[in-house]
Amino acid sequence: MKVSDSSVSASSFVSPPEGIIESGPHKGKQLPPPPVFSLFLSFCSVTVKFLKQESSSTMQTPPGSGAVVLSDDLKNPAMEKLDLVRKWSINTYKCTRQILSEKLGRGSKTVDLELEAQIELLRENKRKYQNVIKLAQALANQLSQIMQTQKQLGDAFADLSLKSPELHEEFGYNADTQRLLSKNGETLLGAINFFISSVDTLVDKTIEDTMINIKQYETARVEYDAYRTDLEELNLGPRDGNTMPKIEQSQQQFQIHREKFERMRNDVSVKLKFLEENKVKVLHNQLILFHNAIAAYYAGNQQQLEQTLKQFHIKLKMPGGESPSWLEEH
């Protein structure tokens, strides 16, 4: 339903955008604002007085004249500051009142059920992916310790092989086995670290970028509901020469924030769609890598393990060398 530019009635202007509903309708007589609002308004009053004093300091009084003239190049910055603070104070007050009203169950909230479900699922998946990264990192640390032990054990067996002629072959077999396990462990560790890096990039960059858009959308939603509630209250009151200008101004602000809310809602929907496609593609490749590398390592298939790294273009870090960049790995 489109909102016209003219003044609307209390029964028609609050129709929510398509696909969303309003939960917790506002009913009953409005209670006086809590003490926090009084403190907030006091702060705003002090700020406005300060800026008024600053603007008055820009006045110039020509010699021999009782008239006060504002300097054009000095009055604009001060007045602009005053106007910005006034708008910010009004917007912050309305949004704070809306949030508290929702928490206390006295205010209505616009809810897009389908979009909210997608956002909640994204937050849940993000927590689960972070847990997978944490566990994979623990596995990598443990594997690194095992590799170090295997290498030291292989060196010990090799030393005993040289100093024990009667057990030369037996110690030699064990030395070769431990060294091979350590070498395969380095290959597996390279695959696990690549898996961790790719999933971490997905979570901390791609998903986090979408979460920023979601926060902006939620802020726009609160602003929209705040100005909608304000317009509701004005339309329920008397209509006379004093109230009609306020209603018209409130109608304009309501329309501005409604358009912003719908725009942000559409942006988030598009972001979530593209994120889902990218997430499936990235995780599909990384899960295949993780599975094949683990399976080849524990099967003792060194050739298959090395082939897995070549398939995903993973370069192992050489001792004393620099690790390849993320772009080189891809």
Side-chain angles (χ1 to χ4, degrees):
M1 175 179 176
K2 295 184 178 179
V3 182
S4 62
D5 294 335
S6 61
S7 178
V8 292
S9 63
S11 61
S12 63
F13 79 94
V14 292
S15 298
E18 183 179 356
I20 62 178
I21 62 173
E22 296 172 14
S23 63
H26 177 77
K27 295 181 180 180
K29 183 178 180 181
Q30 185 178 1
L31 297 178
V36 65
F37 291 131
S38 299
L39 293 175
F40 176 77
L41 291 176
S42 299
F43 165 75
C44 294
S45 176
V46 171
T47 305
V48 170
K49 289 181 179 179
F50 170 76
L51 289 174
K52 283 183 176 180
Q53 293 175 357
E54 182 180 347
S55 63
S56 64
S57 65
T58 63
M59 296 181 179
Q60 294 180 351
T61 305
S65 174
V68 177
V69 180
L70 285 176
S71 174
D72 291 336
D73 58 343
L74 293 178
K75 71 176 182 179
N76 288 335
M79 297 306 295
E80 287 177 0
K81 286 183 186 178
L82 183 62
D83 187 57
L84 288 174
V85 170
R86 181 183 64 83
K87 291 180 179 179
W88 174 84
S89 301
I90 293 174
N91 186 75
T92 303
Y93 169 76
K94 290 180 182 293
C95 293
T96 304
R97 183 182 65 175
Q98 176 65 27
I99 293 173
L100 290 179
S101 297
E102 292 176 5
K103 291 185 178 296
L104 295 174
R106 295 191 289 109
S108 60
K109 177 181 179 181
T110 303
V111 180
D112 186 326
L113 296 178
E114 181 180 357
L115 185 59
E116 291 295 330
Q118 294 177 6
I119 292 174
E120 184 58 32
L121 179 61
L122 177 62
R123 289 193 173 110
E124 182 180 357
N125 285 338
K126 181 183 179 183
R127 289 191 293 268
K128 292 180 178 180
Y129 296 155
Q130 288 174 331
N131 186 51
V132 168
I133 294 173
K134 180 180 178 181
L135 294 174
Q137 187 63 61
L139 177 62
N141 294 337
Q142 293 168 3
L143 179 61
S144 179
Q145 294 177 356
I146 292 175
M147 287 164 43
Q148 186 67 22
T149 303
Q150 289 172 336
K151 186 177 180 180
Q152 293 175 354
L153 189 58
D155 293 340
F157 281 144
D159 182 63
L160 288 171
S161 175
L162 296 175
K163 297 180 180 180
S164 304
E166 67 280 5
L167 296 174
H168 171 74
E169 293 185 359
E170 289 80 356
F171 279 124
Y173 294 151
N174 281 277
D176 293 340
T177 299
Q178 294 301 320
R179 287 171 176 172
L180 179 61
L181 288 174
S182 178
K183 180 180 178 182
N184 290 345
E186 291 179 358
T187 308
L188 175 61
L189 185 61
I192 293 177
N193 286 334
F194 184 81
F195 171 82
I196 294 172
S197 175
S198 299
V199 178
D200 187 68
T201 299
L202 174 66
V203 173
D204 288 346
K205 293 183 179 179
T206 310
I207 293 181
E208 185 60 29
D209 181 63
T210 303
M211 296 302 298
I212 293 175
N213 286 91
I214 290 174
K215 292 177 182 178
Q216 294 172 347
Y217 156 75
E218 292 174 341
T219 300
R221 197 278 306 166
V222 172
E223 292 177 346
Y224 162 73
D225 281 336
Y227 284 90
R228 175 182 56 80
T229 301
D230 190 48
L231 184 56
E232 281 181 352
E233 295 173 353
L234 289 174
N235 275 274
L236 291 175
R239 292 173 175 268
D240 51 35
N242 294 328
T243 59
M244 287 305 297
K246 295 181 180 179
I247 293 176
E248 292 177 359
Q249 184 181 9
S250 180
Q251 173 68 37
Q252 294 175 359
Q253 291 297 320
F254 164 75
Q255 187 63 27
I256 291 173
H257 287 87
R258 177 177 182 174
E259 292 174 356
K260 178 183 177 181
F261 166 67
E262 292 178 345
R263 184 174 64 254
M264 292 301 303
R265 181 165 65 98
N266 293 334
D267 290 346
V268 169
S269 297
V270 173
K271 273 271 190 180
L272 288 173
K273 179 181 179 181
F274 284 114
L275 173 63
E276 183 66 21
E277 295 175 356
N278 186 38
K279 181 193 72 174
V280 171
K281 180 180 178 181
V282 171
L283 291 181
H284 171 77
N285 293 332
Q286 295 306 314
L287 290 173
I288 291 178
L289 162 68
F290 193 83
H291 171 269
N292 291 350
I294 292 288
Y297 174 79
Y298 284 101
N301 192 336
Q302 180 183 5
Q303 183 178 1
Q304 181 62 36
L305 184 58
E306 293 176 351
Q307 184 63 33
T308 298
L309 267 67
K310 291 180 181 179
Q311 178 184 353
F312 290 90
H313 309 287
I314 302 175
K315 297 180 181 180
L316 294 178
K317 181 179 179 180
M318 301 302 295
E322 295 182 356
S323 60
S325 66
W326 186 84
L327 291 176
E328 291 176 343
E329 292 174 344
H330 286 72

